[in-house]
Amino acid sequence: MITQTAPSTPRASAPSSPVHQRRRRKPSLYRTLSRVLILLIVIVQVYPLAWLFLTSLRTEQDFATGDPFALPSSLTWENYARAFETGDLGRNILNSFIVTMGANILIVLFGMMAAYAIQVLGFRLSRFVRALFLIGIIVPVQIALVPLFIDYSAVNLLDTYQSMIIPLAGFALPMSIYLFSSFFEYIPRETYEAASLDGAGPYRIFGLITLPLSLNTVVTVVLVNSIFIWNDFIFANTFVLSEDLKTIPLGLQNYIGAMGKVDWTATFAAVCVTITPLLLVFLVLNKAMIQGLESGATKG
Amino acid sequence: MKKLLRAAAVAAVTALALTACGGGGTATDPSNVTPTGEIKPREISWLLSRPADGAVINIMKKLADDYAKDHPGFALNLITTPDRPSYIQKLETLAAANKLPELFDTDATPFAQELAKQGKMVDADKLLKSLDVYDDYRPGALDYQRFDDGSLYMIPFQFELEFIWYNKALFEKAGVSVPKSLDDIPAMCTALRNSGITPIAIDGQDQWPLERYVAYQPFREAGPDFVQKLKKGEASFTDEAGQKTVNWMADLGKAKCFQEGFSAQGYSDAQNQFTSGQAAMYNIGTWELPSLATDKLNPEVRDDVDFFTLPTIEGSVTAANEFVSPSGIGMAVNSKTYDPLVSDFLKFALAKYPAEYAATGALSPTTNVQTAIPANATPLYKKALETATTLGDKQAMPWDTQLDPTTNGRLQQELVLLVQGNISPEQFTKTMDDAIKQNAPKFFK
């Protein structure tokens, strides 16, 4: 059985799926209690989302004058119309997707390869290299801004997708390498030995054994990093100049008016639109993660 | 570890580069405002911090399109970051990397003054004069943009007046009238509270509205110079004007002038307290005319709303027609990229901008156009615009544009504590004077 050393991942709040029941059984006290507990957890998770969605349907006047947590007195789609008018939401979502996917591909590819080299292949100073990567965790993001900006402008990378993807992937690598290499410890050596005896080289072993086995870790790494990348503001704010490349956090700024007056209801509508794709991705990935957790290498 | 050291070294060098003179010899002379040569159309950029859908951006977009018709190949790329702190971070990064665009927004901050000293901005005084529009600008609008030494490097695009809006019906109910002096306000608050009315609605979350109040007493008592001296540590809160404002702020707090939990309430919350008839007073500028002086205003209070300008005090050194009249964030012109094209476009845009801007019902920073009053306006709209014609020479500067950032942040926190009664005026005075002593010398070298 494979144990996960990954930190518990933030879970998107999924609506409870109806429990599969093959035949009706007498409900025991234990089952009722666990149902109630699950229901409570679901309510706690779903309530903020429901509140967000309801607020996005309230009129501006109603939200401002009434209690922000009250039920809406009337429903309107007008906020959504205004949100799409003021900002370029579709574009922002697409950009966030491109950046998140791009960074995740780099993180998984390089993170896995580095961890494989350090943990499985092993070489002289491999522990030192691993320590070097880990030191990267404590480097604050801000110190890289100005040097990166100057370098980017020298090589004409400013105001491109790459300008966001590269630093996001770079700063996420230490943590990802740590996660991957901790997981690789749990793949039994015998598996590799057997593969070598059958004549597989390191690349083939990596592709045919390590990669399929660590799918659940890949999902975990992607899940953890996606949240950070999806919400990244600082790199996008620094390196992106044109409207066409703005990601969601930058796009949401368009609802700020004069002297800090914020169009809240339009902002809520925009947030509703922008979290939907992320929620869907998480719901899908969550399933994959649980399946990944259940399958191991040497079941015993 | 080596990597860490190297990173630290890079950071240190960066920090040095940020503070040291930029050294990158500018190609052009900032005072040369009439470059000679051929106009070669290209794309130019303006880095700004204004509402994405606001009048300034929409008008400049339109003017750029008009200009491009006669100058194929020209385009104006507007890069807006409405959130001010994010904008400043961006601007400072670009400045450090020596990558400032052709045009960029900035307030008259010490950081901007540093850029001007390094010759990175075109002298706006000379520029406006060479374009023959200098005399069209309201002196107050230009003065707001000037650095302490009187030099001008930013061009204003707005002009606003700040009033105290009030609800006549609520005043009547509590038996109070428009205050003749700032010192009357605490007693008014008590009377309003006794009638169960919130005296003043304030946006405490954004902090600048409360900071406006601390500027009022010194402006009346000692004039606009007080804050200039205070920020450099040449004057202090222990001075007469300083003590007056500290005690007055404490009195406002004691009289429960602001709504309950004001520090956690935002811009819209405060405005709605006033427009829904719960609060008697609301201090805000003419940028809110579209919500306060048109039929957008809640009909229940529409006939009761009026405004008065900042009251004076006994022995006031400034007049009743002198108060807060900011012209917003200004636009600086990058001297490195200033060429015949930028010069020609500015000439075209600045000549046409005032008429377009005034047509939207806003006050132009110039006096050569008449602001159009919207069809749905209440009589207050006209009254507010007319106030602009009778302004005095002096203006009260908002303190958040004057103090160094560290002291300013401290002041905003301490003001809330003072008004809530968590600290005494003496504690406030000591804390703030210490903060200025500690931070001002580093900042105003």
Side-chain angles (χ1 to χ4, degrees):
Chain A
M1 182 66 224
I2 291 161
T3 45
Q4 267 288 345
T5 50
S8 63
T9 51
R11 297 193 31 173
S13 37
S16 60
S17 55
V19 184
H20 221 62
Q21 285 181 312
R22 265 177 240 118
R23 70 181 91 88
R24 303 280 305 162
R25 291 220 321 254
K26 248 190 278 181
S28 64
L29 180 71
Y30 166 75
R31 275 164 61 96
T32 323
L33 272 178
S34 68
R35 287 274 171 86
V36 170
L37 191 68
I38 288 171
L39 195 71
L40 277 176
I41 291 172
V42 168
I43 289 172
V44 167
Q45 297 272 22
V46 171
Y47 173 72
L49 290 172
W51 177 74
L52 179 75
F53 181 65
L54 278 178
T55 309
S56 74
L57 296 177
R58 295 175 75 171
T59 60
E60 250 184 306
Q61 210 56 33
D62 181 41
F63 176 68
T65 43
D67 170 15
F69 298 103
L71 284 172
S73 55
S74 64
L75 296 178
T76 169
W77 289 101
E78 197 243 345
N79 298 320
Y80 284 84
R82 222 173 44 248
F84 275 99
E85 230 167 82
T86 314
D88 195 353
L89 283 181
R91 184 93 230 180
N92 297 152
I93 294 173
L94 180 72
N95 289 337
S96 277
F97 254 118
I98 293 172
V99 171
T100 308
M101 296 283 286
N104 272 322
I105 290 170
L106 288 185
I107 291 166
V108 169
L109 194 72
F110 293 145
M112 273 188 89
M113 284 179 160
Y116 183 73
I118 291 168
Q119 196 64 43
V120 180
L121 299 178
F123 52 93
R124 198 190 298 179
L125 292 182
S126 68
R127 298 187 67 155
F128 174 70
V129 172
R130 186 176 164 173
L132 269 189
F133 273 118
L134 285 185
I135 281 179
I137 292 178
I138 58 169
V139 176
V141 170
Q142 284 78 1
I143 67 160
L145 291 179
V146 176
L148 273 176
F149 193 94
I150 295 169
D151 292 346
Y152 280 158
S153 67
V155 294
N156 272 335
L157 263 185
L158 270 187
D159 211 15
T160 57
Y161 288 123
Q162 297 93 302
S163 67
M164 291 180 270
I165 292 172
I166 295 168
L168 283 168
F171 276 97
L173 270 182
M175 199 67 202
S176 312
I177 289 172
Y178 175 74
L179 286 179
F180 279 122
S181 56
S182 324
F183 169 73
F184 291 163
E185 278 180 45
Y186 291 95
I187 299 181
R189 286 265 158 202
E190 296 83 14
T191 328
Y192 293 129
E193 279 162 18
S196 315
L197 287 175
D198 288 343
Y203 288 97
R204 199 152 169 201
I205 292 178
F206 179 78
L208 290 179
I209 295 173
T210 317
L211 192 67
L213 282 181
S214 37
L215 273 180
N216 57 337
T217 315
V218 171
V219 171
T220 309
V221 167
V222 167
L223 217 59
V224 174
N225 288 319
S226 290
I227 295 173
F228 283 110
I229 296 167
W230 192 262
N231 293 326
D232 161 70
F233 181 82
I234 195 159
F235 289 128
N237 184 43
T238 311
F239 303 132
V240 166
L241 300 172
S242 54
E243 285 289 326
D244 300 348
L245 288 175
K246 279 190 174 175
T247 54
I248 292 166
L250 290 184
L252 288 180
Q253 277 204 329
N254 287 342
Y255 304 102
I256 299 178
M259 311 302 282
K261 184 181 190 176
V262 182
D263 186 348
W264 283 116
T265 44
T267 307
F268 278 118
V271 171
C272 270
V273 173
T274 53
I275 61 170
T276 310
L278 193 67
L279 268 182
L280 292 175
V281 169
F282 275 125
L283 294 182
V284 172
L285 280 184
N286 250 328
K287 265 206 149 75
M289 203 172 136
I290 291 161
Q291 277 171 355
L293 286 171
E294 283 169 349
S295 60
T298 45
K299 285 215 162 162
Chain B
M1 207 59 226
K2 260 190 194 151
K3 187 176 171 184
L4 195 68
L5 283 173
R6 192 177 307 158
V10 170
V13 169
T14 311
L16 281 174
L18 278 167
T19 49
C21 268
T26 44
T28 48
D29 171 12
S31 61
N32 176 18
V33 291
T34 46
T36 48
E38 196 191 338
I39 296 168
K40 295 193 194 80
R42 58 185 167 97
E43 187 186 55
I44 65 169
S45 296
W46 179 5
L47 192 70
L48 28 66
S49 180
R50 303 173 196 258
D53 223 14
V56 179
I57 288 187
N58 289 335
I59 293 168
M60 290 304 280
K61 259 191 196 144
K62 182 175 162 285
L63 291 177
D65 290 345
D66 290 351
Y67 186 78
K69 277 179 201 146
D70 304 334
H71 301 81
F74 171 84
L76 176 65
N77 182 14
L78 292 153
I79 306 157
T80 187
T81 310
D83 178 51
R84 199 56 61 83
S86 318
Y87 174 76
I88 292 167
Q89 187 249 317
K90 197 166 187 159
L91 178 74
E92 293 186 355
T93 310
L94 263 75
N98 223 340
K99 284 278 161 197
L100 287 168
E102 285 80 1
L103 310 166
F104 55 92
D105 278 359
T106 175
D107 280 312
T109 56
F111 176 79
Q113 188 151 20
E114 194 56 39
L115 291 179
K117 262 194 211 138
Q118 295 167 12
K120 291 185 175 167
M121 303 185 197
V122 173
D123 185 331
D125 208 295
K126 288 200 174 76
L127 175 68
L128 294 176
K129 279 177 182 155
S130 79
L131 299 178
D132 225 6
V133 290
Y134 183 87
D135 293 330
D136 297 341
Y137 281 86
R138 298 172 198 269
L142 292 182
D143 289 346
Y144 180 82
Q145 302 291 341
R146 285 178 203 278
F147 292 124
D148 294 354
D149 59 4
S151 60
L152 178 69
Y153 284 88
M154 279 82 76
I155 301 167
F157 280 79
Q158 298 156 263
F159 189 66
E160 312 286 1
L161 308 166
E162 295 188 10
F163 306 132
I164 297 164
W165 299 76
Y166 72 104
N167 185 317
K168 288 185 282 200
L170 296 181
F171 268 35
E172 214 162 293
K173 190 175 156 192
V176 294
S177 52
V178 172
K180 298 212 169 18
S181 157
L182 284 172
D183 302 321
D184 300 343
I185 294 179
M188 282 172 64
C189 294
T190 310
L192 285 159
R193 278 281 177 205
N194 292 341
S195 314
I197 301 160
T198 304
I200 305 175
I202 191 167
D203 161 14
Q205 225 173 33
D206 287 317
Q207 299 183 311
W208 63 262
L210 187 64
E211 206 175 353
R212 288 285 197 272
Y213 285 85
V214 81
Y216 294 157
Q217 285 279 9
F219 179 70
R220 292 302 188 209
E221 178 81 21
D225 303 340
F226 180 79
V227 69
Q228 306 277 353
K229 291 193 185 119
L230 179 80
K231 71 177 179 190
K232 296 197 182 94
E234 292 160 14
S236 87
F237 278 103
T238 49
D239 300 354
E240 197 184 339
Q243 276 307 290
K244 199 153 179 215
T245 194
V246 172
N247 290 317
W248 187 66
M249 294 301 288
D251 290 345
L252 291 182
K254 276 191 211 113
K256 294 208 168 39
C257 280
F258 305 112
Q259 77 269 33
E260 294 295 309
F262 69 90
S263 62
Q265 302 212 344
Y267 193 105
S268 317
D269 302 325
Q271 189 161 317
N272 284 302
Q273 291 227 335
F274 180 71
T275 55
S276 61
Q278 297 167 50
M281 288 180 270
Y282 175 52
N283 185 9
I284 208 77
T286 43
W287 60 88
E288 283 298 345
L289 281 177
S291 352
L292 295 175
T294 63
D295 62 13
K296 271 204 181 145
L297 183 64
N298 179 1
E300 287 160 39
V301 298
R302 206 177 293 162
D303 298 332
D304 298 326
V305 168
D306 200 350
F307 66 82
F308 56 87
T309 57
L310 184 70
T312 54
I313 54 171
E314 208 172 313
S316 177
V317 298
T318 48
N321 64 355
E322 295 169 332
F323 41 88
V324 185
S325 53
S327 55
I329 196 165
M331 180 193 78
V333 182
N334 185 346
S335 57
K336 202 170 83 175
T337 54
Y338 187 66
D339 62 0
L341 172 79
V342 178
S343 166
D344 191 60
F345 171 68
L346 286 178
K347 186 176 169 183
F348 173 89
L350 293 180
K352 293 208 180 334
Y353 174 82
E356 297 269 0
Y357 188 61
T360 65
L363 274 169
S364 166
T366 61
T367 51
N368 56 351
V369 286
Q370 190 74 35
T371 299
I373 295 172
N376 63 349
T378 61
L380 274 188
Y381 209 106
K382 191 157 174 274
K383 183 182 164 186
L385 296 179
E386 278 165 359
T387 314
T389 56
T390 58
L391 278 183
D393 296 336
K394 299 185 187 125
Q395 59 174 310
M397 288 301 269
W399 283 16
D400 51 341
T401 63
Q402 299 297 304
L403 299 165
D404 70 80
T406 322
T407 305
N408 187 51
R410 193 66 202 252
L411 174 67
Q412 290 178 334
Q413 292 164 357
E414 296 290 320
L415 273 178
V416 174
L417 295 176
L418 178 69
V419 171
Q420 287 176 344
N422 308 66
I423 55 171
S424 68
E426 293 73 35
Q427 284 169 305
F428 176 90
T429 305
K430 189 175 174 333
T431 312
M432 283 320 303
D433 280 343
D434 287 351
I436 293 171
K437 224 174 265 148
Q438 210 179 352
N439 301 304
K442 282 184 291 209
F443 203 73
F444 300 101
K445 285 191 283 286

